[in-house]
């Protein structure tokens, strides 16, 4: 049998970690974006380690499924449009949608 | 080839998806996200034992949208060489083969296979994401941990200076050699674009801070990576066929003290040691910039 004909057995489907992610459990603070201040410079998009930020319909939006609340976006925003607010998840509180 | 010159031109596709297993503010995940924007979907990546191997997959699920091969600690560049050979036999030309290792997988444990692949001029890209300690096993000191950094096994500060990994790799005469930083994403993306176009052995060394190992806050990852460039300890340049070109000249220069004092790991460093390091940095800065 040629090497080409050997079956390829991937151990996981691509991107399946994204499907199972639920960062609400580990997030202690969350970014709040002031859309008035935001000038869509897109700096925060590449500084997010979790791919949680994206520009959608002319606004930067946070994917709450991915955001771990590290706060890099708030520190790096050149116009200070992002602030971090405390979030209480789990049995101590609730998640505001 | 069109270089990506503005943030608006950066592709939106995420080839390393969110929801990965990295810590909050992970510098390694940040480096991979930025690099994958340039490498594109026709990439095969091999990663030895490191944080990056565990962040990107757990066996049953994976954050990668591209083929990802988890190799043993010693042999990521050797595995990448094998993947390239298999592609060559099948006549597949348009694939980037990347071995992506941490500082241990590059400079210490993985060095034997790295120097082998570099000497054979294998047609692969080797990337070292450098957090300056062995973070996946608890932050032990390695050979490119900085002088006097406190780690679990050097509680009084590391007694020896950091080994010059870039000089070692430059001595292999790679087709392309570059340093990069997660704080300068466009520079990093452009370097990966250039590396993708070049044939032969390519080496890219990325400074990717780890908040836990460095003793900083989670949100300071990018800030510290930038301060490292501004104080001159980490210089951004590229070498094509041995000719060096500085790609980022920091807008402001800061004393190394400002960079060191923000980090918990340099708490044992006294003023005399900082002054000595400052002199060394100034000398090295002149050498690279000239």
């Amino acid at each position: 049998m040629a090497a080409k004909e050997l079956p390829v057995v991937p151990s996981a489907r691509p991107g399946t970690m994204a499907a199972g992610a639920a960062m609400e459990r580990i997030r202690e603070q969350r970014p709040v974006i002031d859309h008035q201040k935001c000038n869509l410079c897109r700096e925060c998009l590449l500084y997010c380690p979790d791919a949680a930020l994206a520009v959608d319909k002319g606004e930067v939006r946070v994917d709450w499924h991915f955001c771990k609340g590290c706060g890099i976006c708030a520190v790096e925003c050149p116009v200070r449009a992002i602030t971090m607010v405390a979030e209480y998840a789990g049995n101590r509180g609730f998640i505001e949608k | 080839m069109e270089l990506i010159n503005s943030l608006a031109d950066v592709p939106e596709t995420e080839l390393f998806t969110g929801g990965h297993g990295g810590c909050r503010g992970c510098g390694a995940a940040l480096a991979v996200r930025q690099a994958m924007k340039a490498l594109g979907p026709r990439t095969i990546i091999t990663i030895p034992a490191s944080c990056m191997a565990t962040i990107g997959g757990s066996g049953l699920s994976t954050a990668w949208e591209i083929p990802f091969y988890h190799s043993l600690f010693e042999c990521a560049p050797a595995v990448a060489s094998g993947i390239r050979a298999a592609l060559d036999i099948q006549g597949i030309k348009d694939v980037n083969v990347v071995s992506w290792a941490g500082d241990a997988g590059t400079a210490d444990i993985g060095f034997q296979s790295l120097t082998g692949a570099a000497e054979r001029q294998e047609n692969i890209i080797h990337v070292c994401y450098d957090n300056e300690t062995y973070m996946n096993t608890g932050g032990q000191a390695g050979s490119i941990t900085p002088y006097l950094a406190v780690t679990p096994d050097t509680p009084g500060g590391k007694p020896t200076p950091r080994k010059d990994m870039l000089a070692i790799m430059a001595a292999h005469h790679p087709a392309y050699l570059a340093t990069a930083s997660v704080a300068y994403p466009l520079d990093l993306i452009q370097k990966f674009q250039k590396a993708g176009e070049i044939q032969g052995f390519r080496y890219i060394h990325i400074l990717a801070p780890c908040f836990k190992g460095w003793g900083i806050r989670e949100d300071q990852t990018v800030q510290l990576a930038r301060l490292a460039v501004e104080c001159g300890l980490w210089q951004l340049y590229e070498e094509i066929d041995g000719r060096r070109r500085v790609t980022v000249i920091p807008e402001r220069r800061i004393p190394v003290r400002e960079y060191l004092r923000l980090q918990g790991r340099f708490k044992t460093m006294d003023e005399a040691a900082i002054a000595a390091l400052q002199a060394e940095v100034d000398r090295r800065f002149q050498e690279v910039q000239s």
Side-chain angles (χ1 to χ4, degrees):
Chain A
M1 188 187 270
K4 262 182 166 174
E5 291 156 29
L6 285 169
V8 177
V9 189
S11 58
R13 271 190 305 116
T16 35
M17 274 181 117
M23 296 310 159
E24 288 92 340
R25 283 175 301 168
I26 64 166
R27 203 163 60 227
E28 288 172 359
Q29 47 175 5
R30 69 193 156 95
V32 175
I33 302 170
D34 183 343
H35 296 296
Q36 305 298 318
K37 276 193 194 169
C38 175
N39 60 1
L40 288 175
C41 70
R42 293 169 176 256
E43 290 254 337
C44 53
L45 267 60
L46 276 179
Y47 287 139
C48 175
D50 296 291
L53 296 162
V55 175
D56 179 31
K57 299 192 187 92
E59 278 186 355
V60 174
R61 290 196 191 276
V62 186
D63 189 333
W64 299 115
H65 199 58
F66 293 155
C67 176
K68 289 174 181 151
C70 64
I72 291 179
C73 52
V75 170
E76 294 304 322
C77 178
V79 292
R80 303 242 157 245
I82 305 178
T83 43
M84 299 302 288
V85 299
E87 169 150 63
Y88 298 99
N91 56 13
R92 286 195 298 148
F94 61 92
I95 302 156
E96 197 185 310
K97 290 288 178 192
Chain B
M1 176 193 45
E2 193 93 353
L3 282 182
I4 294 173
N5 275 319
S6 79
L7 291 167
D9 298 338
V10 175
E12 282 184 12
T13 332
E14 297 294 345
L15 297 167
F16 184 72
T17 59
H20 58 75
C23 301
R24 278 187 284 236
C26 174
L30 193 49
V32 143
R33 258 202 76 214
Q34 295 175 355
M36 287 316 296
K37 299 279 183 192
L39 287 168
R42 299 284 288 170
T43 301
I44 297 175
I45 199 156
T46 162
I47 299 185
S50 62
C51 278
M52 209 52 238
T54 55
I55 291 170
S58 66
L60 294 172
S61 56
T62 171
W64 293 97
E65 296 279 2
I66 55 161
F68 153 61
Y69 188 96
H70 182 183
S71 81
L72 291 177
F73 217 145
E74 308 86 354
C75 60
V79 171
S81 309
I83 291 171
R84 173 59 76 192
L87 291 172
D88 284 347
I89 284 175
Q90 295 172 60
I92 301 171
K93 300 258 182 253
D94 60 334
V95 173
N96 291 317
V97 181
V98 180
S99 63
W100 185 288
D103 45 297
T106 300
D108 303 331
I109 304 166
F111 186 69
Q112 185 188 356
S113 62
L114 174 66
T115 181
E119 188 272 328
R120 294 191 305 273
Q121 294 293 335
E122 295 286 352
N123 188 13
I124 61 169
I125 305 174
H126 182 86
V127 183
C128 171
Y129 77 92
D130 184 3
N131 48 33
E132 302 186 330
T133 43
Y134 288 31
M135 280 323 300
N136 198 35
T137 48
Q140 292 86 353
S143 68
I144 49 178
T145 301
Y147 183 45
L148 292 178
V150 173
T151 67
D153 55 3
T154 56
K158 192 191 170 217
T160 51
R162 170 186 165 100
K163 139 171 130 185
D164 191 350
M165 194 58 200
L166 283 146
I168 294 170
M169 289 319 291
H172 290 79
H173 307 299
Y176 184 78
L177 176 140
T179 60
S181 163
V182 291
Y184 296 84
L186 278 179
D187 177 64
L188 187 147
I189 288 172
Q190 287 176 358
K191 281 169 178 165
F192 272 90
Q193 278 188 302
K194 283 180 205 164
E197 294 289 309
I198 295 171
Q199 300 286 308
F201 188 80
R202 292 144 283 170
Y203 179 80
I204 299 177
H205 198 119
I206 308 174
L207 187 69
C210 168
F211 79 89
K212 226 173 169 56
W214 289 30
I216 55 177
R217 290 198 319 270
E218 297 157 354
D219 58 5
Q220 287 179 310
T221 308
V222 174
Q223 192 190 346
L224 263 289
R226 186 178 298 112
L227 289 180
V229 173
E230 287 176 344
C231 77
L233 265 173
W234 190 246
Q235 303 193 57
L236 297 175
Y237 61 86
E238 61 182 7
E239 284 180 17
I240 301 174
D241 296 326
R243 274 214 302 278
R244 182 181 295 157
R245 191 177 76 86
V246 177
T247 55
V248 173
I249 298 165
E251 286 170 18
R252 53 165 200 157
R253 283 293 308 280
I254 58 161
V256 285
R257 181 187 293 103
E258 225 170 281
Y259 167 72
L260 300 173
R261 284 293 178 238
L262 281 172
Q263 302 174 53
R265 61 180 177 157
F266 293 114
K267 62 187 175 216
T268 59
M269 211 164 171
D270 55 23
E271 287 300 318
I274 291 177
L277 182 65
Q278 181 70 58
E280 168 66 20
V281 166
D282 288 343
R283 189 191 62 75
R284 179 91 188 118
F285 191 80
Q286 288 298 325
E287 193 182 302
V288 172
Q289 302 280 330
S290 59

